[in-house]
Amino acid sequence: MAAAAEQGGEKIPPGKPMSMEQHMLDKGAQMLQSLKPVKQMNQHICTFALYSHDMTRQIETHHFVTRLNQDFLQCAVYDSDDSSARLIGVEYIVSDKIFESLPLDEQKLWHSHAYEIKSGLLVNPRVPEMVVRPELENLAKTYGKFWCTWQTDRGDKLPMGPPVLMMSPQAVNMGMVNPDLIVKRDDKYNISSEALKNARIEIPEPEWINPQADYWKQHGVGFFVDIEATEMKKIVPFP
């Protein structure tokens, strides 16, 4: 288990360093347990995301991807790919076929991926473009729903409050990613998003992107989860 990340000399999350006994327990468990779900993560994708309710807040995200079938992927999302990375959310990705089957109100919560890919913002770090090209062509036609559970960008030391819906970058006004974020990411991986954009010109555009996705583009509204108290069910019948 990695040590906690630090921000301004302060550990995030707060806590004592791992003891030698804890390291031994973890190593033993690792040898004895299968950890099958974790071992199915076979891709690392780096891209950017914007808060649905405040698109001036933009973050670099690292998605560790498991493909359950050709139409459905699930991603554990971290704030970096370092050993001390913090798990900040989860994204589900579906094919256009599945997306079209969703209720209209559900579709509003999803975003498209075509622009992310065509613009060179979405990358598979350290993997040659020719290797990931077929996957990029598939992903360009997909939709994602990303819930952020830990807002580390605002300095939260722990996951606080309800989950927040995230949106993907787009080629219009508020959907444009801050160039400084892109430069920082590109420098880290020694890549050029602009060069990738040019190299991906021939990736086919989806024939149609459902306007219910990226709902803010058409309607100028985002979505925000709030918490309210509710009466508990005190008697639950047994099956």
Side-chain angles (χ1 to χ4, degrees), residues 46-48 115-116 119-123 169 177 182 185 193 200:
C46 179
T47 183
F48 301 92
Y115 173 73
E116 266 182 285
S119 65
L121 293 174
L122 185 150
V123 301
V177 177
I182 300 172
R185 191 279 304 273
S193 295
R200 295 176 182 179

Side-chain angles (χ1 to χ4, degrees), residues 9-158:
E10 190 172 7
K11 287 183 179 178
I12 299 178
K16 297 185 296 184
M18 290 266 286
S19 66
M20 183 58 68
E21 179 184 17
Q22 188 64 57
H23 279 295
M24 292 175 65
L25 286 171
D26 288 352
K27 285 293 183 183
Q30 189 177 22
M31 288 188 291
L32 295 171
Q33 296 179 319
S34 67
L35 305 180
K36 288 181 180 178
V38 177
K39 290 178 180 177
Q40 301 311 305
M41 293 181 184
N42 49 31
Q43 281 194 62
H44 167 212
I45 290 174
C46 179
T47 183
F48 301 92
L50 302 80
Y51 286 83
S52 173
H53 69 288
D54 181 1
M55 302 188 80
T56 64
R57 291 176 60 194
Q58 306 178 350
I59 58 173
E60 179 184 311
T61 58
H62 295 263
H63 303 241
F64 291 84
V65 185
T66 298
R67 180 180 285 280
L68 296 186
N69 58 48
Q70 204 59 39
D71 292 280
F72 187 93
L73 300 89
Q74 57 189 21
C75 313
V77 185
Y78 291 81
D79 62 353
S80 77
D81 62 349
D82 298 331
S83 59
S84 59
R86 293 158 293 190
L87 180 66
I88 62 169
V90 60
E91 178 170 4
Y92 301 102
I93 297 174
V94 299
S95 66
D96 51 354
K97 178 182 177 182
I98 289 182
F99 181 81
E100 294 299 334
S101 72
L102 297 175
L104 292 179
D105 281 345
E106 172 64 23
Q107 290 178 343
K108 296 176 183 179
L109 306 178
W110 296 68
H111 57 262
S112 63
H113 290 131
Y115 173 73
E116 266 182 285
I117 290 166
K118 293 285 288 182
S119 65
L121 293 174
L122 185 150
V123 301
N124 294 72
R126 306 180 185 91
V127 181
E129 272 285 294
M130 66 171 57
V131 174
V132 296
R133 181 66 174 264
E135 181 73 332
L136 293 174
E137 292 178 355
N138 288 330
L139 287 175
K141 295 176 285 187
T142 62
Y143 298 85
K145 182 165 71 170
F146 174 8
W147 291 105
C148 176
T149 55
W150 190 352
Q151 300 180 55
T152 56
D153 65 299
R154 69 179 185 185
D156 287 4
K157 299 173 187 176
L158 294 167

